[in-house]
Amino acid sequence: MTTLDLNSDLGEGFGRWTLGDDDALLEVVTSANVACGFHASDASIMRRVCDAAVPRGVAIGAQVGYRDLPGFGRRFIDVEPQALTDDVIYQVGALDAFARVAGSRVRYVKPHGALYNAIVHHEEQAAAVVEAVVAYDASLPVLGLPGSAWLRLAEEAGLTVVEEAFADRAYTPEGTLVSRRLPGAVLHDADAVARRCVDMATTGRITDVDGGPLAVSPASICVHGDTPGAVDLARRVRGALEEAGVELAPFAAEPGGPRT
């Protein structure tokens, strides 16, 4: 039986402003990429999501991003590598504190938004994020786009790399994500998205934005939590995968105890 992780971006509100239905998605996904306060979230939201994730057996991942609350972390920032390293350590540490209070810990790291896209090719920034993870805890797996500088440098540094694919995002023929500024970048047909995820898990092949074949072999599939109908979409994806005989489980192992 194929085993696959299902992840989603959670904790992306701020103060009284909410985005997505974290509680509903935590009933569906196996891993939660929790915003760490730079592109979204705050202390109370981080604690609430961690407290809700742990009893459900959902792995907590640090979704680190640029310091860009107004732009939701979707704007590239030409930040100095050392400053970026420090920012990532700060974010992982903040979320790890709340995860530990909830009885678990941060179990992986995944960049967000513009940072995620930048370190597909931006060597300096990719190296800076890798340096942060190595410095904080080199046992943490890192999640990202296959073929990215981020995963290549992480593997070279001895980190465990985990490749992901996106349920609801269009791909270029080169295997990168179509920019959100372009039409058709986000997919909304729940049936089509569910079939696509089954293809990812069972055949390793989907269709790119130009209609050509694209090979994918993800260990984790991301369903976005901030798009309209996200909860229903995630439920449809999970149901279709289970019906196809795919077992869903976190890719990051439960920690044996508190880190010292």
Side-chain angles (χ1 to χ4, degrees):
M1 178 182 287
T2 300
T3 301
L4 199 63
D5 175 67
L6 195 62
N7 76 78
S8 188
D9 305 343
L10 301 180
E12 292 188 317
F14 184 75
R16 297 180 63 184
W17 177 68
T18 59
L19 180 66
D21 189 338
D22 291 340
D23 288 337
L25 283 167
L26 284 169
E27 297 289 347
V28 181
V29 300
T30 53
S31 294
N33 318 314
V34 184
C36 301
F38 273 33
H39 77 275
S41 200
D42 56 39
S44 296
I45 291 173
M46 283 189 276
R47 182 167 191 179
R48 184 169 66 245
V49 174
C50 289
D51 285 348
V54 171
R56 292 172 169 86
V58 176
I60 297 169
Q63 185 160 49
V64 297
Y66 292 128
R67 190 187 295 269
D68 181 28
L69 280 173
F72 196 60
R74 288 185 175 156
R75 302 180 294 190
F76 172 74
I77 298 178
D78 189 17
V79 60
E80 299 87 347
Q82 185 59 57
L84 180 57
T85 295
D86 294 343
D87 280 351
V88 171
I89 292 172
Y90 185 100
Q91 292 175 78
V92 177
L95 183 65
D96 198 29
F98 291 112
R100 291 179 62 169
V101 167
S104 184
R105 59 167 293 187
V106 165
R107 288 159 61 181
Y108 65 94
V109 175
K110 174 183 173 177
H112 166 80
L115 179 60
Y116 186 102
N117 291 325
I119 60 178
V120 171
H121 301 296
H122 198 301
E123 297 276 336
E124 279 192 335
Q125 290 200 356
V129 182
V130 169
E131 182 181 342
V133 179
V134 170
Y136 186 82
D137 185 347
S139 72
L140 290 175
V142 297
L143 186 61
L145 195 70
S148 61
W150 155 238
L151 291 192
R152 172 174 54 79
L153 294 174
E155 188 169 30
E156 291 174 1
L159 299 176
T160 299
V161 301
V162 181
E163 296 183 349
E164 74 170 335
F166 288 82
D168 51 0
R169 290 294 304 276
Y171 280 84
T172 70
E174 294 74 32
T176 58
L177 299 178
V178 174
S179 170
R180 285 180 176 269
R181 297 182 179 182
L182 298 176
V186 180
L187 311 178
H188 299 286
D189 185 324
D191 290 333
V193 169
R195 288 194 300 268
R196 189 172 187 247
C197 291
V198 171
D199 287 341
M200 291 177 183
T202 60
T203 71
R205 191 169 295 273
I206 59 173
T207 302
D208 65 38
V209 70
D210 292 338
L214 181 67
V216 293
S217 55
S220 183
I221 294 178
C222 178
V223 288
H224 282 98
D226 61 343
T227 53
V231 174
D232 179 62
L233 182 65
R235 288 173 177 154
R236 299 281 284 278
V237 166
R238 178 167 186 138
L241 288 169
E242 290 177 332
E243 189 173 326
V246 178
E247 180 182 358
L248 296 174
F251 65 82
E254 178 66 41
R259 185 165 58 89
T260 59

